[in-house]
Amino acid sequence: MAPVETPGAHELLSAARDLIRVDDERTAGLWPRAAALLARQAIEMSMDRLWQRRAPGLGATSGRCQLLCLGEFLHDGELAGRVSATWAGLSRACHVRVYELAPTAVELDIWLGCAWELADAVARECRDG
């Protein structure tokens, strides 16, 4: 039997986009948080890939520390700032609180775009470096 390949960040983000775009009664009420979780995992996967390539020990530090270092390693502080804000929004969206609404499709689309941009930047950085 052939080994199962682990999906990459882009594949997770594509799956999250599919959840947003498909109108399916079976996922009603579930898709916003599921899409948020996939997007957050994609960001974390992208950072893990970057750290494995550029700074292996950084992956063992806190998420906050990793996000603070991201701009330096990507040579793009603006993207790193947006990724940090996106990760925070996605983290809030992943935790179900009865007094908070799930993220909207528009919010998720913006966050997914940022996560996709990070995955592209990491792919370039790992390829070029």
Side-chain angles (χ1 to χ4, degrees), residues 25-111:
E25 65 184 37
R26 293 174 297 169
T27 61
L30 302 175
W31 65 264
R33 294 205 196 312
L37 182 61
L38 288 170
R40 192 176 83 171
Q41 287 177 328
I43 288 174
E44 292 167 355
M45 185 178 284
S46 293
M47 289 194 305
D48 285 346
R49 180 177 179 201
L50 182 63
W51 306 145
Q52 287 172 3
R53 178 70 182 230
R54 299 291 182 155
L58 201 51
T61 64
S62 70
R64 181 174 299 281
C65 179
Q66 292 178 41
L67 288 165
L68 287 171
C69 295
L70 190 58
E72 187 68 29
F73 283 88
L74 289 179
H75 313 292
D76 189 343
E78 190 273 332
L79 174 59
R82 287 190 295 115
V83 168
S84 183
T86 295
W87 188 87
L90 290 166
S91 292
R92 282 190 309 276
C94 288
H95 298 284
V96 179
R97 295 178 183 95
V98 294
Y99 54 87
E100 287 185 15
L101 296 174
T104 66
V106 172
E107 287 174 310
L108 285 165
D109 196 48
I110 292 167
W111 291 338

Side-chain angles (χ1 to χ4, degrees), residues 9-27:
H10 287 104
E11 288 82 11
L12 291 178
L13 293 167
S14 291
R17 281 205 167 110
D18 289 345
L19 285 172
I20 293 171
R21 293 184 179 136
V22 174
D23 186 17
D24 186 340
E25 65 184 37
R26 293 174 297 169
T27 61

